[in-house]
Amino acid sequence: MFKNARNLARKYGSKALAVAGLGTASVGAFAQTTTNPIVTVLNAVGLDGVQAAVLAVCLIIVAIALTMKGPDVSKRVIRKV
């Protein structure tokens, strides 16, 4: 990296390019890892409560469906006997 910056500086005769090349090389060495704020928010949400709510809703829907179909099923069973 440093050799490329020096070669470019010699080629174009610019000391500023060499300084910029050395400056960007040092920035990468000291770069800190940042966390994504969206991922942080999603990780903060507790899935236990959501899972329990979804399970309860599914059970209610199945119970309603069975309640509505129960008389029809029982009529079919009685006819077969």
Side-chain angles (χ1 to χ4, degrees):
M1 178 79 183
F2 297 116
K3 290 182 181 179
N4 289 338
R6 288 185 202 146
N7 290 339
L8 287 173
R10 281 189 213 142
K11 183 176 180 181
Y12 295 110
S14 171
K15 292 182 182 179
L17 184 60
V19 171
L22 293 176
T24 57
S26 64
V27 169
F30 297 110
Q32 296 178 358
T33 58
T34 58
T35 57
N36 188 350
I38 295 174
V39 173
T40 305
V41 169
L42 289 176
N43 288 337
V45 174
L47 294 180
D48 295 334
V50 174
Q51 182 181 5
V54 168
L55 182 63
V57 169
C58 289
L59 287 176
I60 291 170
I61 290 172
V62 169
I64 290 171
L66 288 175
T67 303
M68 301 299 269
K69 293 290 182 179
D72 293 335
V73 172
S74 62
K75 285 180 186 177
R76 289 182 190 166
V77 170
I78 292 172
R79 284 186 205 159
K80 298 283 180 177
V81 174

